[in-house]
Amino acid sequence: MARSALLNVMVAAATKAGRGLTRDFGEVENLQVSRKGPGDFVTAADHRAEKVIREELQRARPGYSLLMEESGTIEGTDPQHRWIVDPLDGTTNFLHGIPLFAISIALERQGQIVAGVIYNPVMDELFTAERGNGAFMNNRRLRVAGRATLTDCVIGTGIPHLGRGDHGRALMELRHVMGEVSGIRRCGAAALDLAWLAAGRFDGFWEHDLSPWDMAAGLLMIREAGGYVSDASGGEKMLETGSVVAGNEYIHHHLLAQLKNARKQA
Ligand code: IPD
Ligand code: CA
Ligand code: CA
């Protein structure tokens, strides 16, 4: 598998930040016993990871713009290129010592995502994709799962956290989908969920109210693994609406139909 120079830059940034997050994750496990918990420590770890990634990316391509979860937009001299970064996706998992979290880095060129890296440093699983060149996990080529009927499928989703999102809609959608599928999973790191779908672990996935940094790399990964992605209305406005529905051709179609039924009855 040949990686472009840009993808190598992204991998280097993700793995460097990943080493820091792995060290910090070990400390978080120790802090669980304290009554206050590791909240402040995790916030600092998140910011440290973002700083490492920003420095690596800016060193390699000083002019590129950035959209980062913690720092927001950083305008560069090159308006054609933008890095979209979540330094720690799955913060709640990280905070609770659950090893399902990832770093997500995407590269957008003239409004189109052309490369993506999603890295879970604890499992040492590195997911990469480049437009037109396929998706990989640690050098193994990825294909989405081939199941065609919902009853055989494990479907991932996101359930809104306390004080966020539309809990009523989430319940209605869960009710509809859970009656049709083999099982539902809520793993708590959207970038990783999308990478897992590209890897054929999940057959389908849907979530609302995501941010661009949660999904930019994952959307490309799924398409490069032969999957289908859309927003909740079946359109292309994932980054604008924050909603995503994904699967292979059949499951994407069935899942969209179930979500539409759920909306009708809401
Ligand atoms: C969150 C995770 C989670 C999703 C939330 C995101 P964070 O990102 O991806 O799975 O349900 O909507 O905000 O806050 O851990 O970076
Ligand atoms: Ca996130
Ligand atoms: Ca985050």
Side-chain angles (χ1 to χ4, degrees), residues 101-145:
F101 57 88
I103 291 155
S104 177
I105 305 176
L107 175 62
E108 191 183 63
R109 178 176 295 137
Q110 294 172 324
Q112 200 169 56
I113 308 297
V114 294
V117 168
I118 296 169
Y119 182 47
N120 176 341
V122 175
M123 294 180 168
D124 196 24
E125 289 188 337
L126 176 72
F127 300 88
T128 57
E130 285 190 273
R131 197 174 147 79
N133 277 327
F136 296 83
M137 185 185 81
N138 298 348
N139 299 332
R140 182 171 65 79
R141 183 147 198 152
L142 299 181
R143 287 293 302 169
V144 293

Side-chain angles (χ1 to χ4, degrees), residues 8 30 62-63 116 150 160 180 214-215 221:
N8 280 329
N30 298 332
L150 274 183
E180 304 288 329
D214 296 318
M215 57 166 130
M221 215 156 276

Side-chain angles (χ1 to χ4, degrees), residues 69 86 88-92 158 164 186 188-190 207 209-210 214:
E69 181 172 14
D86 191 340
L88 171 56
D89 184 54
T91 326
T92 307
R164 287 170 59 181
R186 197 301 185 231
E207 187 164 359
D209 303 317
L210 290 173
D214 296 318

Side-chain angles (χ1 to χ4, degrees), residues 55-262:
E55 283 170 0
E56 288 289 309
L57 297 178
Q58 285 182 325
R59 193 156 52 86
R61 293 293 184 277
Y64 285 18
S65 303
L66 292 118
L67 172 63
M68 310 191 86
E69 181 172 14
E70 308 304 332
S71 323
T73 294
I74 303 169
E75 298 286 357
T77 51
D78 178 352
Q80 313 277 20
H81 290 95
R82 182 166 74 142
W83 305 109
I84 303 177
V85 178
D86 191 340
L88 171 56
D89 184 54
T91 326
T92 307
N93 285 343
F94 191 93
L95 182 73
H96 288 261
I98 299 168
L100 286 177
F101 57 88
I103 291 155
S104 177
I105 305 176
L107 175 62
E108 191 183 63
R109 178 176 295 137
Q110 294 172 324
Q112 200 169 56
I113 308 297
V114 294
V117 168
I118 296 169
Y119 182 47
N120 176 341
V122 175
M123 294 180 168
D124 196 24
E125 289 188 337
L126 176 72
F127 300 88
T128 57
E130 285 190 273
R131 197 174 147 79
N133 277 327
F136 296 83
M137 185 185 81
N138 298 348
N139 299 332
R140 182 171 65 79
R141 183 147 198 152
L142 299 181
R143 287 293 302 169
V144 293
R147 293 181 188 85
T149 40
L150 274 183
T151 46
D152 296 330
C153 288
V154 168
I155 306 290
T157 189
I159 299 169
H161 291 175
L162 183 66
R164 287 170 59 181
D166 183 338
H167 289 215
R169 175 180 62 188
L171 284 171
M172 187 60 89
E173 290 181 346
L174 273 173
R175 223 178 92 197
H176 265 78
V177 178
M178 105 173 100
E180 304 288 329
V181 303
S182 167
I184 291 188
R185 299 287 181 273
R186 197 301 185 231
C187 291
L192 212 49
D193 291 330
L194 298 173
W196 281 24
L197 190 138
R201 294 173 180 173
F202 290 153
D203 301 285
F205 178 79
W206 90 95
E207 187 164 359
H208 302 276
D209 303 317
L210 290 173
S211 298
W213 44 81
D214 296 318
M215 57 166 130
L219 298 178
L220 175 70
M221 215 156 276
I222 290 172
R223 285 186 168 155
E224 288 297 323
Y228 282 58
V229 277
S230 71
D231 59 35
S233 323
E236 287 281 315
K237 294 196 164 36
M238 292 78 78
L239 294 180
E240 293 87 340
T241 61
S243 70
V244 56
V245 181
N248 66 26
E249 183 180 359
Y250 311 106
I251 300 308
H252 173 254
H253 174 81
H254 292 320
L255 205 47
L256 265 180
Q258 287 304 325
L259 297 174
K260 196 168 163 195
N261 287 342

